[in-house]
Amino acid sequence: MWLSYLSLVSIVIPALFALRVYLLIRYRDQKPKRQAGETCSLGVFLGSGGHTAEMVALLSTIDLERYTPRVYVYCWGDEMSLRAISTIESSRYSTENSTQPSYSRIAFPRARKVGQSWFSTILTTIRTLFHVIWYTFLVPLTQPRKPWVDVLLVNGPGTCVVLVLVCWIRRILGLSYTRIIYVESFARVRSLSLSGKLLRPFVDTFVVQWPSAGGKGTTYKGWLV
Amino acid sequence: MTHPNRFNSSQITKKRILFVTVGSTLFPALTNLILSSNILSFLSQSMTELVVQYGQGDPDCSNLTKVHQSLSVRSLDTEGQSERIMKTGLSKKSEGMEKVGKENGEEEYEYEGMRIKMFRYTNEFSEMIKESDYVVSHAGSGSILSVLRSRKPLLVIPNQTLMDDHQSELAYELSKHGYLLVTSVDNLLQGLERLLNLSPNTLEPFPEQDRTAFKNILDDTAGYT
């Protein structure tokens, strides 16, 4: 009797889980159809330093009124990203009459600092995971049919992997589907960054800025920043 | 030996500024070499001013004559330079109070008639680039983009001691397209000779940001097509 329980726990459940992940990767959700006037909620991860600088450049080109509301995710103590949010949002007020802020901010502890050892990275990543699960999974669970955000935009570094992971928990459970875009840095000419390599199979649109960086299945439309 | 760039007395009144920046990084091989008497003698033949952002280094100024030290606060940069905030915080903590003046201030020196301004961090990175005539930079993508967009002649010196040296890939790739010059620390003098003797329009003008490419990628992923 206990043997069949053990086999259920150790073989059947992981197998079903792997099958579910495989099917989700293999057969992507049908791309939604949105009317030109519809809004779409957007999550943006600001990864500090050069990552944030590139993200500001990317967001400077998009229609902020269409991508409403916006949620900015950044790491504790990252003042540069905080300033970046006000830079992005202040450009909006000049063109829009509404004074109501159509964005919110969430701060997480950083999953991995530059040069951190792999063992302590595991611990800090788990801490980040709890925060991310709370804010992007448990709190939005009160409205399970509405996604945390419709589209999530990330460009590294490590901490954004946790955000993508939590979007995948929702996918695996069959809850609302957040489409994910990863934009590899302009600095990556011939190889992907570590977070790029990790996330490539798990995002809906993987963008590179040099044709030699990505290869098959990646989107290349020239330099974006 | 007379150098082709040597100025006669009527021209010397015109300001010629060389800006050397390592961003917020530690790159002593470059910041120390630029202050060696060999390089300074060469530069003082044609430049009226040398501006050095030495990042986390502690350059040896023994060759220089001190002119003035201001204590104006120039910490906390805004764009394009990686990990600035975190590292400012760290170095302040680790070096204690006696360094605070040097930390935020700008020191002024002189060498054979050439003025030399030195600082660790700046709020006004883009302004500093605009004011200068030539730029020598580390291979950080944020710094490279800022300089190229300002259309200033740029010589990039990659930091070869970095573990993951994808940065020099970017510099060499962009130099292949003729947007900038690149050389190693060992060939700095020859690199500077090339930079200061560039005839106008030798370097390709770097294109402005494509303001539709990323917008289209996002609209497509979100389902607006």
PDB file of all heavy atoms in Angstrom, chain A residues 64-75:
ATOM      1  N   LEU A  64       2.253  54.409 -23.654  1.00  0.00           N
ATOM      2  CA  LEU A  64       1.962  54.169 -22.232  1.00  0.00           C
ATOM      3  C   LEU A  64       0.462  54.170 -21.945  1.00  0.00           C
ATOM      4  O   LEU A  64       0.008  53.570 -20.986  1.00  0.00           O
ATOM      5  CB  LEU A  64       2.668  55.204 -21.359  1.00  0.00           C
ATOM      6  CG  LEU A  64       4.197  55.105 -21.274  1.00  0.00           C
ATOM      7  CD1 LEU A  64       4.758  56.233 -20.426  1.00  0.00           C
ATOM      8  CD2 LEU A  64       4.641  53.770 -20.698  1.00  0.00           C
ATOM      9  N   GLU A  65      -0.305  54.868 -22.764  1.00  0.00           N
ATOM     10  CA  GLU A  65      -1.752  54.877 -22.525  1.00  0.00           C
ATOM     11  C   GLU A  65      -2.377  53.535 -22.879  1.00  0.00           C
ATOM     12  O   GLU A  65      -3.377  53.136 -22.281  1.00  0.00           O
ATOM     13  CB  GLU A  65      -2.410  56.018 -23.299  1.00  0.00           C
ATOM     14  CG  GLU A  65      -2.237  57.336 -22.552  1.00  0.00           C
ATOM     15  CD  GLU A  65      -2.491  58.530 -23.427  1.00  0.00           C
ATOM     16  OE1 GLU A  65      -3.600  58.633 -23.968  1.00  0.00           O
ATOM     17  OE2 GLU A  65      -1.566  59.355 -23.572  1.00  0.00           O
ATOM     18  N   ARG A  66      -1.797  52.860 -23.851  1.00  0.00           N
ATOM     19  CA  ARG A  66      -2.275  51.527 -24.193  1.00  0.00           C
ATOM     20  C   ARG A  66      -1.874  50.535 -23.099  1.00  0.00           C
ATOM     21  O   ARG A  66      -2.680  49.728 -22.674  1.00  0.00           O
ATOM     22  CB  ARG A  66      -1.683  51.097 -25.542  1.00  0.00           C
ATOM     23  CG  ARG A  66      -1.931  49.645 -25.881  1.00  0.00           C
ATOM     24  CD  ARG A  66      -1.434  49.313 -27.274  1.00  0.00           C
ATOM     25  NE  ARG A  66      -2.408  49.707 -28.280  1.00  0.00           N
ATOM     26  CZ  ARG A  66      -2.230  49.560 -29.581  1.00  0.00           C
ATOM     27  NH1 ARG A  66      -1.087  49.058 -30.026  1.00  0.00           N
ATOM     28  NH2 ARG A  66      -3.143  49.914 -30.438  1.00  0.00           N
ATOM     29  N   TYR A  67      -0.606  50.615 -22.650  1.00  0.00           N
ATOM     30  CA  TYR A  67      -0.105  49.661 -21.651  1.00  0.00           C
ATOM     31  C   TYR A  67      -0.359  50.192 -20.245  1.00  0.00           C
ATOM     32  O   TYR A  67       0.528  50.718 -19.582  1.00  0.00           O
ATOM     33  CB  TYR A  67       1.364  49.329 -21.922  1.00  0.00           C
ATOM     34  CG  TYR A  67       1.475  48.565 -23.213  1.00  0.00           C
ATOM     35  CD1 TYR A  67       1.801  49.213 -24.411  1.00  0.00           C
ATOM     36  CD2 TYR A  67       1.143  47.216 -23.261  1.00  0.00           C
ATOM     37  CE1 TYR A  67       1.818  48.520 -25.610  1.00  0.00           C
ATOM     38  CE2 TYR A  67       1.173  46.523 -24.450  1.00  0.00           C
ATOM     39  CZ  TYR A  67       1.505  47.174 -25.616  1.00  0.00           C
ATOM     40  OH  TYR A  67       1.516  46.478 -26.798  1.00  0.00           O
ATOM     41  N   THR A  68      -1.611  50.095 -19.822  1.00  0.00           N
ATOM     42  CA  THR A  68      -2.081  50.590 -18.537  1.00  0.00           C
ATOM     43  C   THR A  68      -2.914  49.511 -17.868  1.00  0.00           C
ATOM     44  O   THR A  68      -3.708  48.857 -18.558  1.00  0.00           O
ATOM     45  CB  THR A  68      -2.961  51.848 -18.756  1.00  0.00           C
ATOM     46  OG1 THR A  68      -2.149  52.839 -19.411  1.00  0.00           O
ATOM     47  CG2 THR A  68      -3.460  52.412 -17.450  1.00  0.00           C
ATOM     48  N   PRO A  69      -2.835  49.327 -16.548  1.00  0.00           N
ATOM     49  CA  PRO A  69      -1.840  49.932 -15.660  1.00  0.00           C
ATOM     50  C   PRO A  69      -0.482  49.237 -15.766  1.00  0.00           C
ATOM     51  O   PRO A  69      -0.396  48.116 -16.259  1.00  0.00           O
ATOM     52  CB  PRO A  69      -2.468  49.708 -14.282  1.00  0.00           C
ATOM     53  CG  PRO A  69      -3.301  48.480 -14.443  1.00  0.00           C
ATOM     54  CD  PRO A  69      -3.794  48.486 -15.855  1.00  0.00           C
ATOM     55  N   ARG A  70       0.532  49.904 -15.265  1.00  0.00           N
ATOM     56  CA  ARG A  70       1.891  49.355 -15.285  1.00  0.00           C
ATOM     57  C   ARG A  70       2.340  49.022 -13.862  1.00  0.00           C
ATOM     58  O   ARG A  70       2.014  49.749 -12.926  1.00  0.00           O
ATOM     59  CB  ARG A  70       2.866  50.371 -15.895  1.00  0.00           C
ATOM     60  CG  ARG A  70       2.611  50.653 -17.365  1.00  0.00           C
ATOM     61  CD  ARG A  70       3.404  51.831 -17.870  1.00  0.00           C
ATOM     62  NE  ARG A  70       2.996  53.097 -17.268  1.00  0.00           N
ATOM     63  CZ  ARG A  70       1.895  53.769 -17.598  1.00  0.00           C
ATOM     64  NH1 ARG A  70       1.087  53.312 -18.529  1.00  0.00           N
ATOM     65  NH2 ARG A  70       1.610  54.906 -16.994  1.00  0.00           N
ATOM     66  N   VAL A  71       3.050  47.924 -13.734  1.00  0.00           N
ATOM     67  CA  VAL A  71       3.628  47.558 -12.435  1.00  0.00           C
ATOM     68  C   VAL A  71       5.134  47.501 -12.605  1.00  0.00           C
ATOM     69  O   VAL A  71       5.637  46.760 -13.452  1.00  0.00           O
ATOM     70  CB  VAL A  71       3.116  46.180 -11.954  1.00  0.00           C
ATOM     71  CG1 VAL A  71       3.649  45.893 -10.559  1.00  0.00           C
ATOM     72  CG2 VAL A  71       1.605  46.118 -11.970  1.00  0.00           C
ATOM     73  N   TYR A  72       5.855  48.306 -11.830  1.00  0.00           N
ATOM     74  CA  TYR A  72       7.324  48.289 -11.894  1.00  0.00           C
ATOM     75  C   TYR A  72       7.860  47.465 -10.737  1.00  0.00           C
ATOM     76  O   TYR A  72       7.485  47.682  -9.589  1.00  0.00           O
ATOM     77  CB  TYR A  72       7.886  49.705 -11.811  1.00  0.00           C
ATOM     78  CG  TYR A  72       7.492  50.561 -12.982  1.00  0.00           C
ATOM     79  CD1 TYR A  72       6.436  51.449 -12.899  1.00  0.00           C
ATOM     80  CD2 TYR A  72       8.185  50.451 -14.190  1.00  0.00           C
ATOM     81  CE1 TYR A  72       6.069  52.227 -13.994  1.00  0.00           C
ATOM     82  CE2 TYR A  72       7.829  51.218 -15.279  1.00  0.00           C
ATOM     83  CZ  TYR A  72       6.769  52.105 -15.174  1.00  0.00           C
ATOM     84  OH  TYR A  72       6.421  52.862 -16.251  1.00  0.00           O
ATOM     85  N   VAL A  73       8.725  46.524 -11.065  1.00  0.00           N
ATOM     86  CA  VAL A  73       9.339  45.684 -10.048  1.00  0.00           C
ATOM     87  C   VAL A  73      10.824  46.014 -10.010  1.00  0.00           C
ATOM     88  O   VAL A  73      11.477  46.039 -11.062  1.00  0.00           O
ATOM     89  CB  VAL A  73       9.139  44.193 -10.390  1.00  0.00           C
ATOM     90  CG1 VAL A  73       9.756  43.332  -9.313  1.00  0.00           C
ATOM     91  CG2 VAL A  73       7.658  43.876 -10.552  1.00  0.00           C
ATOM     92  N   TYR A  74      11.340  46.314  -8.822  1.00  0.00           N
ATOM     93  CA  TYR A  74      12.773  46.623  -8.708  1.00  0.00           C
ATOM     94  C   TYR A  74      13.282  46.036  -7.406  1.00  0.00           C
ATOM     95  O   TYR A  74      12.517  45.468  -6.635  1.00  0.00           O
ATOM     96  CB  TYR A  74      13.007  48.135  -8.780  1.00  0.00           C
ATOM     97  CG  TYR A  74      12.332  48.915  -7.672  1.00  0.00           C
ATOM     98  CD1 TYR A  74      13.056  49.362  -6.575  1.00  0.00           C
ATOM     99  CD2 TYR A  74      10.971  49.196  -7.725  1.00  0.00           C
ATOM    100  CE1 TYR A  74      12.444  50.075  -5.555  1.00  0.00           C
ATOM    101  CE2 TYR A  74      10.349  49.896  -6.701  1.00  0.00           C
ATOM    102  CZ  TYR A  74      11.086  50.337  -5.624  1.00  0.00           C
ATOM    103  OH  TYR A  74      10.474  51.015  -4.610  1.00  0.00           O
ATOM    104  N   CYS A  75      14.585  46.155  -7.173  1.00  0.00           N
ATOM    105  CA  CYS A  75      15.160  45.541  -5.988  1.00  0.00           C
ATOM    106  C   CYS A  75      15.403  46.583  -4.900  1.00  0.00           C
ATOM    107  O   CYS A  75      15.681  47.733  -5.194  1.00  0.00           O
ATOM    108  CB  CYS A  75      16.467  44.822  -6.330  1.00  0.00           C
ATOM    109  SG  CYS A  75      16.172  43.408  -7.391  1.00  0.00           S
TER     110      CYS A  75
END
